[in-house]
Amino acid sequence: AICQDIFSGHREHQLMGALGHEGSVFNHLRQKFGADCITAVTLPYSACGRYVVYVSIRKPQGLDPKEVGRAALGFLRQTHAAVVVDDDINIFSEEQVLWAVNTYVHPDRDIEIGVRPAHRRAPRTSTPTSTKASSPAVATSICNRRMA
């Protein structure tokens, strides 16, 4: 007999949640921008597998990396930041991603900070309503060497 257990609140637990989210974001972005543009997606352990998404793209003419970042942010409501990089950066190595961000990003051009509408549920006893509440600032870092 084999018994598998998940140790809640630790890396194994975070990995279980991140796997499904990664696949969902990956499929969403590939449907929206094309299978040849989106090469990989990951939600790193450093952000609990939920709060930051790294996206690797192969940039054809006309593809705006910021739009890819916005689409990744809009897909999962827990995500606070998206980092979009060229496909020559290994997004599964956080050291490479942070090196690319610190080496290639021009803050005035490549970082976008904004506020997005919060995802709120209507109270169960009333009819659905819309709210204009906002979530915290969202940053999209673009480190794409060929953008210059």
Side-chain angles (χ1 to χ4, degrees), residues 24-99:
S24 297
V25 173
F26 182 70
N27 288 335
H28 170 72
L29 294 177
R30 286 180 72 127
Q31 287 175 356
K32 186 167 182 141
F33 298 103
D36 57 334
C37 298
I38 308 299
T39 58
V41 171
T42 189
L43 284 80
Y45 281 131
S46 62
C48 301
R50 286 169 174 70
Y51 304 115
V52 176
V53 60
Y54 296 159
V55 182
S56 175
I57 64 170
R58 190 174 304 116
K59 186 179 178 242
Q61 282 297 95
L63 178 66
D64 181 14
K66 289 182 183 179
E67 189 63 33
V68 174
R70 282 187 221 110
L73 287 169
F75 188 73
L76 294 176
R77 66 180 175 191
Q78 297 172 326
T79 307
H80 299 295
V83 179
V84 180
V85 298
D86 284 338
D87 60 347
D88 61 340
I89 304 293
N90 178 7
I91 62 170
F92 301 102
S93 167
E94 195 149 31
E95 182 179 349
Q96 283 191 29
V97 173
L98 293 176
W99 177 83

Side-chain angles (χ1 to χ4, degrees), residues 56-57 59 65 84-90 96 99-106 109-110 142-148:
S56 175
I57 64 170
K59 186 179 178 242
V84 180
V85 298
D86 284 338
D87 60 347
D88 61 340
I89 304 293
N90 178 7
Q96 283 191 29
W99 177 83
V101 168
N102 288 300
T103 306
Y104 294 118
V105 169
H106 298 276
R109 183 186 70 196
D110 299 335
I142 310 300
C143 36
N144 190 325
R145 286 177 274 179
R146 291 181 283 251
M147 281 181 51

